[in-house]
Amino acid sequence: MKVAADTGALISLKLSGILEKSLDFFVYLIGEKIKEELEQIAATPDELGEAARDILSLIGRGVEIVKTSGHEEGEYEALEILNRIADILISDDIKFVKAQRDERISFSTFVLFFLYKKGIFDKREILRTLDSIFKKRKWAENLIYVTAKGLIEKE
């Protein structure tokens, strides 16, 4: 499945340890703007910088660069990629996702739920992974966390 992804979604997947495990099912498509954002983050000597460096190292091995018309914001670059060639778009920008009103656009937690449904992770593992993202991304009790946790707990 081809996934247009923005910077925040990729960082969340990497920090949770899910990104590499998901490469059997997904190819992540990014444009130059998102690559630039990752390069800026990669310059920092912290956990986010390390995650960004690891994502950049996957270019050509599950993360692919797609030429776009040029955008100032990564989310809109990902939207162009979705509308041209991707099956879905993942973003952790709540305002962006809500504003699009498109069932092909979701949060990064879509990938966790997908892997859970495929039997790659059991319920306990996926909830632990979700909690890990929540803590590492320093999300306040927000829509992404609450929605994902609710979906998984209903299963």
Side-chain angles (χ1 to χ4, degrees):
M1 185 180 298
K2 295 178 182 175
V3 179
D6 75 3
T7 306
L10 288 170
I11 294 282
S12 293
L13 293 174
K14 178 59 192 167
L15 288 174
S16 68
I18 294 295
L19 184 60
E20 286 87 346
K21 293 174 184 167
S22 70
L23 294 177
D24 289 339
F25 302 96
F26 301 109
V27 173
Y28 295 94
L29 306 175
I30 65 172
E32 286 296 328
K33 179 63 180 172
I34 294 165
K35 182 179 176 221
E36 288 173 17
E37 290 175 357
L38 287 167
E39 288 170 341
Q40 288 174 351
I41 296 167
T44 63
D46 58 11
E47 189 174 29
L48 290 178
E50 182 179 344
R53 289 187 295 279
D54 289 346
I55 295 164
L56 290 167
S57 75
L58 292 172
I59 292 175
R61 298 181 306 126
V63 175
E64 303 295 332
I65 305 290
V66 174
K67 185 158 179 61
T68 64
S69 60
H71 296 273
E72 290 187 24
E73 295 180 29
E75 293 82 9
Y76 291 97
E77 181 177 68
L79 186 59
E80 179 186 332
I81 293 168
L82 171 67
N83 288 326
R84 285 186 27 227
I85 58 173
D87 301 304
I88 62 168
L89 183 158
I90 57 170
S91 172
D92 284 346
D93 183 319
I94 295 171
K95 289 180 185 176
F96 172 79
V97 172
K98 285 176 67 177
Q100 299 312 307
R101 300 190 182 275
D102 185 329
E103 63 186 26
R104 301 172 302 157
I105 300 174
S106 189
F107 301 119
S108 63
T109 52
F110 166 87
V111 175
L112 287 120
F113 197 68
F114 178 91
L115 295 174
Y116 169 67
K117 293 299 256 180
K118 286 283 188 187
I120 307 302
F121 294 103
D122 65 25
K123 189 175 191 175
R124 187 175 36 83
E125 290 172 308
I126 212 69
L127 286 169
R128 188 172 51 242
T129 301
L130 181 61
D131 286 339
S132 172
I133 296 172
F134 174 73
K135 290 174 185 154
K136 289 181 179 185
R137 291 304 308 253
K138 298 181 174 109
W139 286 340
E141 280 286 327
N142 76 15
L143 182 64
I144 300 170
Y145 179 74
V146 171
T147 301
K149 194 163 184 175
L151 281 173
I152 294 165
E153 287 177 340
K154 282 182 185 177
E155 291 290 314

